[in-house]
Amino acid sequence: METEILTAHRGRPREFCVDNALAAALRVFWTKGYEGASLTDLTEAMGITRPSLYAAFGNKESLFRKALDLYERDKLAYVGAALEAPTARGVAERMLGGALDLQLGSDPKGCLGVISSGPCGSEAQSIKAEVTARQASSHAALLRRFEQAKADGDFPEHIDPEGLVRYLTAVGQGLCIQAGSGVAPEELRRIVDTTLELWPGR
């Protein structure tokens, strides 16, 4: 666990755990979105001063990018595991199961990417572009997997891999949005079960 020692005003060193502070910042961004999270929200949750935040993480935008890295590494690890499933249906099961588990856990509800890629002011356009680019990278990886699945005969001939990727993504985002609006866990599970019942191929 990394510890940062920074010199505060009057020369007194201030010590805090960078990992814990970043995890706290992630929860704030996840709950409020990039624009909704003020520097006061962030420093209070992280237990540090503004000078310490700037010294350890840079500005708010840089802090968000680091929080987004943490989110993808720790909270979206199931996506990489899903792509390794032997069948396209297995990919869908792991993707939706991972998304469901995330929404049923103790973390904030909703999806950080969805929350932070919505309409935003001019000062947050670079953040929106960053989130959109990361989403496009994930989309491309899933599309490659489904194109391979079709080549392997995993789908009926009429199935469009691009359309299926967008469908699965929409269902995953829908889970996040409905969880964030308070839909009961059993109803979220019903969405997953119904999607898999309708899944084309084996």
Side-chain angles (χ1 to χ4, degrees), residues 4 33 39 41 47 69 78 82 94 112 121 138 146-147 159 165 199:
E4 185 82 10
L39 284 174
D41 293 331
D69 288 339
Y78 68 85
R94 293 184 187 183
L112 179 61
S138 296
F146 281 179
E147 287 175 337
I159 293 298
V165 169
W199 191 259

Side-chain angles (χ1 to χ4, degrees), residues 25 28-42 60:
V28 175
F29 284 127
W30 198 344
T31 302
K32 298 191 173 186
Y34 177 76
E35 285 189 298
S38 69
L39 284 174
T40 298
D41 293 331
L42 291 163
K60 179 183 174 182

Side-chain angles (χ1 to χ4, degrees), residues 23-34 36-37 41 64 71 106-112 115-116:
L26 170 58
R27 292 186 68 86
V28 175
F29 284 127
W30 198 344
T31 302
K32 298 191 173 186
Y34 177 76
D41 293 331
F64 178 83
Y71 176 75
S106 59
D107 290 308
K109 306 307 176 189
C111 172
L112 179 61
I115 293 169
S116 299

Side-chain angles (χ1 to χ4, degrees), residues 6-82:
L6 300 170
T7 301
H9 293 300
R10 301 179 184 174
R12 185 168 58 87
R14 179 180 298 275
E15 182 176 333
F16 66 92
C17 174
V18 172
D19 293 339
N20 289 344
L22 184 58
L26 170 58
R27 292 186 68 86
V28 175
F29 284 127
W30 198 344
T31 302
K32 298 191 173 186
Y34 177 76
E35 285 189 298
S38 69
L39 284 174
T40 298
D41 293 331
L42 291 163
T43 54
E44 288 182 353
M46 298 166 76
I48 62 178
T49 63
R50 290 194 185 192
S52 293
L53 185 155
Y54 293 136
F57 301 102
N59 59 16
K60 179 183 174 182
E61 181 176 330
S62 176
L63 174 62
F64 178 83
R65 292 176 191 275
K66 290 180 173 64
L68 191 57
D69 288 339
L70 176 62
Y71 176 75
E72 292 182 340
R73 184 172 64 251
D74 287 2
K75 307 304 180 181
L76 300 184
Y78 68 85
V79 175

Side-chain angles (χ1 to χ4, degrees), residues 67-144:
L68 191 57
D69 288 339
L70 176 62
Y71 176 75
E72 292 182 340
R73 184 172 64 251
D74 287 2
K75 307 304 180 181
L76 300 184
Y78 68 85
V79 175
L83 294 174
E84 299 299 322
T87 66
R89 180 184 177 85
V91 173
E93 288 176 341
R94 293 184 187 183
M95 289 282 287
L96 294 177
L100 179 61
D101 288 345
L102 188 60
Q103 297 309 314
L104 298 184
S106 59
D107 290 308
K109 306 307 176 189
C111 172
L112 179 61
V114 173
I115 293 169
S116 299
S117 62
C120 56
S122 57
E123 73 282 0
Q125 286 300 317
S126 63
I127 289 298
K128 181 175 181 178
E130 172 80 12
V131 172
T132 299
R134 296 192 189 208
Q135 290 172 337
S137 178
S138 296
H139 178 96
L142 188 54
L143 178 58
R144 287 193 298 270

Side-chain angles (χ1 to χ4, degrees), residues 177-190:
I177 292 170
Q178 293 203 34
S181 65
V183 172
E186 58 269 20
E187 296 302 324
L188 299 177
R189 290 191 182 92
R190 182 175 294 177

